[in-house]
Every structure is written in C-alpha cells, then in structure tokens.
Amino acid sequence: MSRTRRAIAVGALALLPIAPAVVTAVVAASPAHASQPLRAHAEARGKFIGTAVATTQLANESSYRTIAATEFDQITAENAMKWESTEPSPNQFTFSGADAVVAFAEQNGQQVHGHTLVWHSQTPNWVENLDAAGMRSAMNSHIAKVVGRYADNPVVRSWDVVNEAFNEDGTMRDSFWYRKLGGGYIADAFRAARAADPDAKLCINDYNVEGVNSKSTAMYNLVKTLRGQGVPIDCVGFQGHLSLQYGFPGQVRENVQRFADLGVDVRFTEIDIRMKTPRDSAKDAQQATYYRNVMDACLAVSRCVGVTIWGFTDKYSWVPDTFPGEGAALPYDENYGRKPAYTAIHDALAAGGPDPSDTTPPTAPGRPSVSAVTSSGATLTWTAATDNVGVTGYDVYSGTTRLGSATGTSLTLTGLTPNTAYTVHVVARDAAGNTSPASGTVDFTTLAGQSTGCTPSYRLVNSWPGGFQGEITLRCASAVTSWKTTLIYPSGVGVTQAWSSRMSGSGPAYTFTNADWNGTIPAGGSTTFGYIGSWNGTGTPPAPALS
Ligand code: XIL
C-alpha cells in the first residue's frame, strides 16, 4: 500500500488520556498465550478482533477506553461516520466524531472500518427528498468527501459502501435509493468509493446473511455479477445481530467459504448475541457457544479477515432499545466484568489455534480416482494422508488453481468448463497450515455441454406493475449446433413465458434451450431470446444470475 500517514485534526480527542503503552507490549507478543488480550491472539492468527465504539463513551469513560484500546485491534464508529453525522445538511460536513474515532485508532495501533456510506437509515431527510439526478450527485459527492478525507490515512482500511440493500426474500430493498436510482446505485456507489480511495477495501454489508439463505444467496449472486462486470467490490460484511431465541444460523462456515471463493474478503461486522432478559447462567453458556461458533467460522476460512462486535459492554448497547425484552448481548457485563462470551472468544482465538511449533507437513494423499464426470463436474476420491497432529482438510488443484476443498477424502467438483481436459491433484493440510506434497495426478475431460463457447448476457427490455420483459443474448466464441443457458432468480420473481427458446423449470432456476430453428450459431455469432417475468416489487426488477 502506497499510503502516507497524514496528520488529521483530532479536535477534542487530542485532549483524551488514551490508555498508554499497553498496546506496544501486546503487538509484540507472539505466539499468543492464554493470559493475553484478545487482540494478541487474533494477531497471532492473522485476523482482527474489533468493536464498535461510541464517541461519547470514548470521550468520557476511562474504563471504556482502556478495554477498547487493549482488547481490540480494529474499531468501527457506531454512529459517527453515518451520513446524518458527517453531512447533516447539504454539503455541510462535520467530521469531529469521525476524526475522534480515527485518532483513537491511530493512538492505539488499530485499524478503522468506515461505516457506512449509502444506507436507507440514519441518512437525513434532505437526501430522500432529492430528485434522481440530485440524489445521484449527492451520493457521489458524499462518498468522495467522506472516503476522500481518510484516503491517505493508513488506519482507515475499509468501508461499508452499501448497507442493508436486500429484503429477507432476496429481492432488493425498496429503499429511496432503489426507488429513485434503480438497482444500479450499488455499482455507482462502489465506483465512486474506489475513485475516492483506490486502496481501501470496499464492502457490502447486511444482516441475516450469516448463514446460507435466500438473502445471503441474493447477496452472493449480486457480488458475483458485479465482480463479473468489473465493479470494485472487495469484501462482504455479515452484521451478525443474532438472538438466542432464533437459534444459530445454518451453514455459516459454508457461507463464508462460498463468498471467499468469489475472491472477496469476508468480515463479521456487527456481532451481538442477545437473549431474553434477565440473564442466567444457561443463557450465558448458550451465548458463549454462539460467539464461539462465529469465531470458529471466521478462523476456518483464510479470507475471513476478522470479527467486529457491536460494542463490548452491556452497559452500552443498542439492543435493549431496539429489541424490547432482550439484552445482555455483549461479552462484558454492565460493570465491565467478563462474561462466558468473553472466554469463548478468547479460547477460540487462543486455545483452538494451531501449534506454531508444528512444522511437520502431512504425507501426500493417494492419487485420486475420478467418477461421475459430467459437462460441469466430476467426483474425485483419494486415500487419506497422515500427519503427526492431524490432517484438517484437502485442496484439489488443477495446476495452481484450487478447484475445491474437502474435509474428507472425496470431493464433487462443480462449475467446470464443458469439453475441457483437466489434470488434477490433491494436497493435504494440517491445522498449523503445513501442506503435504502433491498427490499423483489424474486426467479427465468434461463432457461437451450444449452451450460450449456461448456467454449469456441479460437486458431488461421493459417493466410494469407486476411484471417485466427480459432478453438474453448468447454470444458464441466457437460454433455450436445447440445451446442451453440457465437463469436463477431470487424468490419473488418468476418466468411465465419465453419465445425463441424452449423453457423448463419452475424457479428459482429456469433453463432455456434452443428452438428448432436457432440452435446453430457460427463462431463469433449470437442469438437472442426473450421472456416475460412476474414480479411484485417496485423499481427495477432484479437481474438473474446467469450460467
Ligand atoms: C445502530 C447503532 O448501534 C445505534 O446506536 C443507532 O441508534 C442505530 O444504529 N445495522 C447497522 C448499524 O448497520 O449501523 C446499526 O447501528 C445496527 C444495525
């Protein structure tokens, strides 16, 4: 990173007594020992552990400051960087709170995650009341000004560019942004943020997207589509406002992994785990397990860069005001005493970690055998590797490209290219990150797919209340005599009829194959077919995921 440290006006914060030298000692510590603060253990694992901070408490309470400084190496302003705080009136910017948070981080060796630029909430009414052109320009200038202010500051590393863009069913939230600007506001916001700071990691953030569900799948599809279009999106944030009464979300680690496999970083951005009050020891224990699960999910995936909790003490939490009857969501109690949740976070970071003195790699796994080859997949099976401590997983490679990972001794590869020869091998790894020699290689060729060489692209032709007309153009690099393409829509959208193709499926996936007369496309040629969709939202109908 080519950043230079820029002195920033620290205002009132310059007066604050900040917890002294503690952090220097912590940062130097490696490997982590059980007696150390969370941040030392996190750093030893290559992750951050963060907290949201409130500027009032940062300014007024030394116990609050000390814990924030010593236990955490990342902070997020709970409110101070939101639009209502930074630009309360058009083009009138106030950065006192935001600067105070950044100054605190600078003094304590912490990184700052900027939260948040484009959101439907805590944004002043004047923004909502603008016409489309005015709103677009307000968005761009807000991003330029806020991100630009910290672009040269090395502690401000990342931003939530767009917050809470989805509904629970995976359709786009009908916010004033979406209503006035259409779904394209998201790509525009990311481009504006990249222009303002080419080095910052740019994230999309949401709640109820921790596990695999309709909402997280819509987010996944959007991130994939945007990255395919070259939109600068680097990370996703899972807020993680959980409640014991709803259970722990399903497939969190798998969800982190699938985003990581898109090439984006993943962060847990706003973890709190609330319970019906009053607390008791059973609820505390269950809460500790949930915190542990979150930590373990992040620790299991290298692209998960860290976990931020939404405040750290039950003395100051948004939960009781927002969810009546619930509270006690954080790892410290109201008197700054550590709860079982603290121990769970600590132990996940420290005790569950690999033994850094283990430098012995696993043995090579057996040469894989191949079965069930299709146009897009194949199943590989191999004999286990052994390790002095234990094999924790296997990665399957084609050359240097990782095709997939498994914890057991077989893997069904998906997403392969039709009619393509693959030479694959398997590598075992252990908890300390040691990797085995490669197994022997195996060759196979995927079957010819009907749409070999053709790439689909989508165009919205027209929409009306209740429906829309979509169009797909297939452009073929090589000649084909038949084709097939699949659209996947979020729930709430259906395809009701199609022309110039044969459609099958009833959602969320619809498969289209050529009609009798348009299967043959020469190399470099294209064909187009159309369809009618039903949809009960407003604004721009969501684009399908294409394959
Ligand atoms: C909350 C803050 O904690 C409160 O102090 C404020 O009154 C409302 O916002 N999702 C987000 C956060 O992205 O910004 C929200 O923070 C919590 C939900």
Coordinates of all heavy atoms in Angstrom, one line a residue, residues 303-366:
R303 N -9.9 -16.3 4.0 CA -10.3 -15.0 3.6 C -11.3 -14.3 4.5 O -11.7 -13.1 4.3 CB -11.0 -15.1 2.2 CG -10.1 -15.2 1.0 CD -10.7 -14.6 -0.2 NE -10.3 -13.2 -0.3 CZ -9.6 -12.7 -1.4 NH1 -9.3 -13.5 -2.4 NH2 -9.3 -11.4 -1.4
C304 N -11.6 -14.9 5.6 CA -12.4 -14.2 6.7 C -11.3 -13.4 7.5 O -10.5 -13.9 8.1 CB -13.1 -15.1 7.6 SG -14.1 -14.2 8.8
V305 N -11.4 -12.1 7.3 CA -10.3 -11.2 7.9 C -10.5 -10.9 9.3 O -9.5 -10.5 10.0 CB -10.1 -10.0 7.0 CG1 -9.5 -10.3 5.6 CG2 -11.4 -9.2 6.8
G306 N -11.7 -11.0 9.9 CA -11.8 -10.7 11.3 C -13.3 -10.5 11.7 O -14.2 -10.6 10.9
V307 N -13.4 -10.3 13.0 CA -14.7 -10.2 13.6 C -14.8 -8.9 14.4 O -13.9 -8.6 15.2 CB -15.0 -11.4 14.6 CG1 -16.3 -11.3 15.3 CG2 -14.9 -12.7 13.8
T308 N -15.9 -8.1 14.2 CA -16.1 -6.9 15.0 C -17.4 -7.2 15.8 O -18.4 -7.6 15.3 CB -16.4 -5.7 14.1 OG1 -15.3 -5.6 13.1 CG2 -16.5 -4.4 14.9
I309 N -17.3 -6.9 17.1 CA -18.5 -7.0 17.9 C -19.1 -5.6 18.1 O -18.4 -4.6 18.0 CB -18.3 -7.7 19.3 CG1 -17.1 -7.0 20.0 CG2 -18.0 -9.1 19.0 CD1 -16.9 -7.7 21.4
W310 N -20.4 -5.5 18.2 CA -21.1 -4.2 18.1 C -21.2 -3.6 19.5 O -22.2 -3.6 20.2 CB -22.5 -4.4 17.5 CG -23.0 -3.1 16.8 CD1 -24.2 -2.4 17.1 CD2 -22.4 -2.4 15.8 NE1 -24.3 -1.3 16.3 CE2 -23.2 -1.2 15.5 CE3 -21.2 -2.5 15.1 CZ2 -22.8 -0.3 14.6 CZ3 -20.8 -1.6 14.1 CH2 -21.7 -0.5 13.9
G311 N -20.0 -3.1 19.9 CA -19.9 -2.6 21.3 C -19.3 -3.8 22.1 O -19.3 -4.9 21.6
F312 N -18.9 -3.6 23.3 CA -18.3 -4.7 24.1 C -19.0 -4.9 25.4 O -18.9 -5.9 26.0 CB -16.8 -4.7 24.2 CG -16.3 -3.3 24.7 CD1 -16.1 -3.2 26.1 CD2 -16.0 -2.3 23.9 CE1 -15.6 -2.0 26.6 CE2 -15.6 -1.1 24.4 CZ -15.4 -0.9 25.8
T313 N -19.6 -3.8 25.9 CA -20.2 -3.9 27.3 C -21.7 -3.8 27.3 O -22.2 -2.9 26.5 CB -19.6 -2.9 28.2 OG1 -20.4 -2.8 29.4 CG2 -19.5 -1.5 27.6
D314 N -22.4 -4.6 28.1 CA -23.9 -4.5 28.1 C -24.3 -3.1 28.7 O -25.5 -2.8 28.6 CB -24.4 -5.6 29.0 CG -24.3 -7.0 28.4 OD1 -24.1 -7.0 27.1 OD2 -24.3 -8.0 29.1
K315 N -23.3 -2.4 29.2 CA -23.7 -1.0 29.7 C -24.1 -0.1 28.6 O -25.0 0.7 28.7 CB -22.4 -0.4 30.4 CG -22.7 0.9 31.1 CD -21.4 1.2 31.9 CE -21.6 2.5 32.7 NZ -20.4 2.9 33.4
Y316 N -23.5 -0.3 27.4 CA -23.9 0.5 26.2 C -24.1 -0.4 25.1 O -23.2 -0.9 24.4 CB -22.7 1.4 25.9 CG -22.3 2.3 27.0 CD1 -21.0 2.2 27.7 CD2 -23.2 3.3 27.5 CE1 -20.7 3.0 28.7 CE2 -22.8 4.1 28.6 CZ -21.5 3.9 29.2 OH -21.2 4.7 30.2
S317 N -25.4 -0.6 24.8 CA -25.7 -1.5 23.6 C -27.0 -1.0 23.0 O -27.9 -0.6 23.8 CB -25.8 -2.9 24.1 OG -26.5 -3.7 23.1
W318 N -27.1 -1.1 21.7 CA -28.4 -0.6 21.1 C -29.5 -1.6 21.3 O -30.6 -1.4 21.0 CB -28.1 -0.4 19.6 CG -28.0 -1.7 18.8 CD1 -27.2 -2.8 19.1 CD2 -28.8 -2.1 17.6 NE1 -27.4 -3.8 18.1 CE2 -28.3 -3.4 17.2 CE3 -29.7 -1.4 16.9 CZ2 -28.8 -4.0 16.1 CZ3 -30.2 -2.1 15.7 CH2 -29.8 -3.4 15.4
V319 N -29.1 -2.8 21.8 CA -30.1 -3.9 21.8 C -31.3 -3.7 22.7 O -32.5 -3.8 22.2 CB -29.4 -5.3 22.2 CG1 -30.4 -6.3 22.6 CG2 -28.5 -5.7 21.1
P320 N -31.2 -3.3 23.9 CA -32.4 -3.2 24.8 C -33.4 -2.1 24.2 O -34.6 -2.3 24.3 CB -31.9 -2.7 26.1 CG -30.5 -3.2 26.2 CD -30.0 -3.1 24.7
D321 N -32.9 -1.1 23.6 CA -33.8 0.0 23.0 C -34.5 -0.5 21.7 O -35.5 0.0 21.4 CB -33.0 1.2 22.6 CG -32.4 1.9 23.8 OD1 -33.0 1.7 24.9 OD2 -31.4 2.6 23.7
T322 N -33.8 -1.4 21.0 CA -34.3 -1.8 19.7 C -35.1 -3.1 19.8 O -36.1 -3.3 19.0 CB -33.1 -2.1 18.8 OG1 -32.2 -1.0 18.9 CG2 -33.6 -2.1 17.3
F323 N -34.8 -4.0 20.7 CA -35.5 -5.3 20.8 C -36.0 -5.4 22.2 O -35.3 -6.0 23.1 CB -34.5 -6.4 20.5 CG -33.9 -6.3 19.1 CD1 -32.6 -5.8 19.0 CD2 -34.5 -6.8 18.0 CE1 -31.9 -5.7 17.8 CE2 -33.9 -6.6 16.7 CZ -32.6 -6.1 16.6
P324 N -37.2 -4.9 22.4 CA -37.7 -4.8 23.8 C -37.8 -6.2 24.4 O -38.1 -7.2 23.8 CB -39.2 -4.3 23.6 CG -39.1 -3.5 22.3 CD -38.1 -4.3 21.5
G325 N -37.3 -6.3 25.7 CA -37.3 -7.6 26.4 C -36.0 -8.4 26.2 O -35.8 -9.4 26.8
E326 N -35.2 -7.9 25.3 CA -33.9 -8.6 25.0 C -32.7 -7.7 25.4 O -32.8 -6.5 25.4 CB -33.8 -9.0 23.6 CG -34.8 -10.1 23.2 CD -34.6 -10.5 21.7 OE1 -35.1 -9.9 20.9 OE2 -33.9 -11.5 21.5
G327 N -31.6 -8.3 25.7 CA -30.4 -7.5 26.0 C -29.2 -8.5 26.3 O -29.2 -9.6 25.8
A328 N -28.3 -8.0 27.1 CA -27.1 -8.7 27.6 C -26.4 -9.4 26.4 O -26.0 -10.5 26.5 CB -27.6 -9.8 28.6
A329 N -26.2 -8.7 25.3 CA -25.8 -9.3 24.1 C -24.3 -9.3 23.9 O -23.8 -9.8 22.9 CB -26.4 -8.5 22.9
L330 N -23.5 -8.7 24.8 CA -22.1 -8.4 24.6 C -21.2 -9.2 25.6 O -21.7 -9.7 26.6 CB -21.8 -6.9 24.6 CG -22.5 -6.2 23.4 CD1 -22.5 -4.7 23.6 CD2 -21.8 -6.6 22.1
P331 N -19.9 -9.3 25.3 CA -19.1 -10.2 26.2 C -18.7 -9.6 27.5 O -18.1 -10.3 28.4 CB -17.8 -10.4 25.3 CG -17.9 -9.4 24.2 CD -19.3 -8.9 24.1
Y332 N -18.9 -8.3 27.8 CA -18.7 -7.8 29.1 C -20.0 -7.3 29.7 O -20.9 -6.8 29.0 CB -17.8 -6.5 29.1 CG -16.4 -6.7 28.7 CD1 -16.0 -6.9 27.4 CD2 -15.4 -6.8 29.7 CE1 -14.6 -7.1 27.1 CE2 -14.1 -6.9 29.4 CZ -13.7 -7.1 28.1 OH -12.4 -7.3 27.8
D333 N -20.2 -7.5 31.0 CA -21.5 -7.1 31.6 C -21.5 -5.6 31.9 O -20.6 -4.9 31.4 CB -21.7 -7.9 32.9 CG -20.7 -7.6 34.0 OD1 -20.1 -6.5 34.0 OD2 -20.6 -8.4 35.0
E334 N -22.5 -5.1 32.5 CA -22.6 -3.7 32.7 C -21.6 -3.0 33.6 O -21.4 -1.8 33.6 CB -24.0 -3.4 33.2 CG -25.1 -3.8 32.2 CD -26.5 -3.6 32.7 OE1 -26.7 -3.3 33.9 OE2 -27.4 -3.9 31.9
N335 N -20.8 -3.9 34.3 CA -19.8 -3.3 35.2 C -18.4 -3.7 34.6 O -17.4 -3.7 35.4 CB -19.9 -3.9 36.6 CG -21.3 -3.6 37.2 OD1 -21.7 -2.4 37.1 ND2 -22.0 -4.6 37.7
Y336 N -18.3 -4.0 33.4 CA -17.1 -4.3 32.7 C -16.5 -5.6 33.2 O -15.3 -5.9 33.1 CB -16.0 -3.2 32.8 CG -16.5 -1.9 32.1 CD1 -16.8 -0.8 32.8 CD2 -16.5 -1.9 30.7 CE1 -17.2 0.4 32.2 CE2 -16.9 -0.7 30.1 CZ -17.3 0.4 30.8 OH -17.7 1.6 30.2
G337 N -17.4 -6.5 33.7 CA -16.9 -7.8 34.1 C -17.0 -8.7 32.9 O -17.9 -8.6 32.0
R338 N -16.0 -9.7 32.7 CA -16.0 -10.6 31.6 C -17.1 -11.7 31.8 O -17.1 -12.3 32.8 CB -14.7 -11.2 31.4 CG -13.6 -10.2 31.0 CD -12.2 -10.8 31.0 NE -11.2 -9.9 30.5 CZ -9.9 -10.1 30.5 NH1 -9.5 -11.3 31.0 NH2 -9.1 -9.2 30.1
K339 N -17.8 -11.9 30.7 CA -18.9 -12.9 30.8 C -18.3 -14.2 30.1 O -17.3 -14.1 29.4 CB -20.1 -12.4 30.0 CG -20.8 -11.3 30.8 CD -21.7 -10.5 29.8 CE -22.8 -11.2 29.2 NZ -23.7 -10.4 28.4
P340 N -19.0 -15.3 30.2 CA -18.6 -16.5 29.4 C -18.3 -16.2 28.0 O -17.5 -16.9 27.3 CB -19.7 -17.5 29.7 CG -20.3 -17.1 31.0 CD -20.2 -15.6 31.0
A341 N -19.1 -15.3 27.4 CA -18.9 -15.0 26.0 C -17.5 -14.5 25.7 O -16.9 -14.8 24.7 CB -19.9 -13.9 25.5
Y342 N -16.9 -13.7 26.7 CA -15.5 -13.2 26.5 C -14.6 -14.4 26.4 O -13.7 -14.5 25.6 CB -15.1 -12.3 27.7 CG -13.7 -11.9 27.5 CD1 -13.3 -10.8 26.9 CD2 -12.6 -12.7 28.1 CE1 -12.0 -10.4 26.7 CE2 -11.3 -12.4 27.9 CZ -11.0 -11.2 27.2 OH -9.7 -10.9 27.1
T343 N -14.8 -15.4 27.4 CA -13.9 -16.5 27.4 C -14.0 -17.3 26.1 O -13.0 -17.8 25.6 CB -14.3 -17.4 28.6 OG1 -14.4 -16.6 29.8 CG2 -13.3 -18.5 28.9
A344 N -15.2 -17.4 25.6 CA -15.4 -18.2 24.4 C -14.7 -17.5 23.2 O -14.0 -18.2 22.4 CB -16.9 -18.2 24.0
I345 N -14.7 -16.2 23.1 CA -14.0 -15.5 22.0 C -12.5 -15.7 22.2 O -11.8 -16.1 21.3 CB -14.3 -14.0 22.1 CG1 -15.8 -13.8 21.8 CG2 -13.4 -13.3 21.0 CD1 -16.2 -12.3 22.0
H346 N -12.1 -15.5 23.5 CA -10.7 -15.7 23.8 C -10.2 -17.1 23.4 O -9.2 -17.3 22.8 CB -10.5 -15.5 25.3 CG -9.0 -15.7 25.7 ND1 -8.6 -17.0 26.0 CD2 -8.0 -14.9 25.9 CE1 -7.3 -16.9 26.4 NE2 -6.9 -15.6 26.3
D347 N -10.9 -18.1 23.9 CA -10.5 -19.5 23.7 C -10.5 -19.9 22.2 O -9.6 -20.6 21.8 CB -11.4 -20.5 24.5 CG -11.1 -20.3 26.0 OD1 -10.2 -19.5 26.4 OD2 -11.8 -21.0 26.8
A348 N -11.5 -19.4 21.5 CA -11.5 -19.7 20.1 C -10.2 -19.1 19.4 O -9.5 -19.8 18.6 CB -12.7 -19.0 19.4
L349 N -9.8 -17.9 19.8 CA -8.6 -17.3 19.2 C -7.3 -17.9 19.7 O -6.4 -18.0 19.0 CB -8.6 -15.8 19.5 CG -9.7 -14.9 18.8 CD1 -9.7 -13.5 19.4 CD2 -9.4 -14.9 17.3
A350 N -7.3 -18.3 21.0 CA -6.1 -18.8 21.6 C -6.0 -20.3 21.6 O -5.1 -20.9 20.9 CB -6.0 -18.3 23.0
A351 N -6.9 -20.9 22.3 CA -6.7 -22.4 22.6 C -7.0 -23.2 21.4 O -6.3 -24.2 21.1 CB -7.6 -22.8 23.7
G352 N -7.9 -22.8 20.6 CA -8.3 -23.6 19.4 C -7.2 -23.4 18.3 O -7.3 -24.1 17.3
G353 N -6.3 -22.6 18.5 CA -5.4 -22.3 17.4 C -4.4 -23.4 17.1 O -4.2 -24.3 17.9
P354 N -3.7 -23.3 16.0 CA -2.7 -24.3 15.7 C -1.5 -24.1 16.6 O -1.3 -23.1 17.1 CB -2.4 -23.9 14.2 CG -2.7 -22.5 14.1 CD -3.8 -22.2 15.0
D355 N -0.7 -25.2 16.7 CA 0.5 -25.1 17.4 C 1.6 -24.6 16.5 O 2.0 -25.3 15.5 CB 0.8 -26.5 17.9 CG 2.2 -26.6 18.5 OD1 2.9 -25.6 18.6 OD2 2.6 -27.7 18.9
P356 N 2.1 -23.4 16.7 CA 3.0 -22.8 15.8 C 4.4 -23.6 15.7 O 5.1 -23.4 14.8 CB 3.3 -21.4 16.4 CG 2.8 -21.4 17.8 CD 1.8 -22.5 17.9
S357 N 4.6 -24.4 16.7 CA 5.9 -25.2 16.6 C 5.7 -26.5 15.7 O 6.7 -27.2 15.5 CB 6.3 -25.6 18.0 OG 5.4 -26.6 18.6
D358 N 4.5 -26.7 15.3 CA 4.3 -27.9 14.4 C 4.7 -27.5 13.0 O 4.0 -26.7 12.3 CB 2.8 -28.3 14.4 CG 2.6 -29.4 13.4 OD1 3.5 -30.1 13.0 OD2 1.4 -29.6 13.0
T359 N 5.8 -28.0 12.5 CA 6.3 -27.7 11.2 C 6.3 -28.9 10.3 O 6.8 -28.9 9.2 CB 7.7 -27.0 11.2 OG1 8.5 -27.9 11.9 CG2 7.6 -25.6 11.9
T360 N 5.7 -30.0 10.8 CA 5.8 -31.3 10.1 C 4.5 -31.3 9.1 O 3.4 -31.3 9.6 CB 5.7 -32.5 11.0 OG1 6.7 -32.3 12.0 CG2 5.9 -33.8 10.3
P361 N 4.8 -31.4 7.8 CA 3.6 -31.5 6.9 C 3.0 -32.8 6.9 O 3.7 -33.8 7.2 CB 4.2 -31.1 5.6 CG 5.6 -31.5 5.7 CD 6.0 -31.4 7.1
P362 N 1.7 -32.9 6.5 CA 1.1 -34.3 6.3 C 1.8 -35.0 5.1 O 2.5 -34.4 4.3 CB -0.3 -33.9 5.9 CG -0.5 -32.5 6.2 CD 0.8 -31.8 6.2
T363 N 1.6 -36.3 5.0 CA 2.1 -37.1 3.9 C 1.2 -36.8 2.7 O 0.1 -36.3 2.8 CB 2.1 -38.6 4.2 OG1 0.7 -38.9 4.4 CG2 2.9 -38.9 5.4
A364 N 1.7 -37.1 1.5 CA 0.9 -36.9 0.3 C -0.4 -37.8 0.3 O -0.2 -38.9 0.7 CB 1.7 -37.2 -1.0
P365 N -1.5 -37.2 -0.1 CA -2.7 -38.1 -0.2 C -2.5 -39.1 -1.4 O -1.6 -38.8 -2.2 CB -3.8 -37.1 -0.5 CG -3.3 -35.8 -0.4 CD -1.8 -35.9 -0.5
G366 N -3.3 -40.1 -1.5 CA -3.3 -41.0 -2.6 C -3.7 -40.3 -3.9 O -4.4 -39.3 -3.9

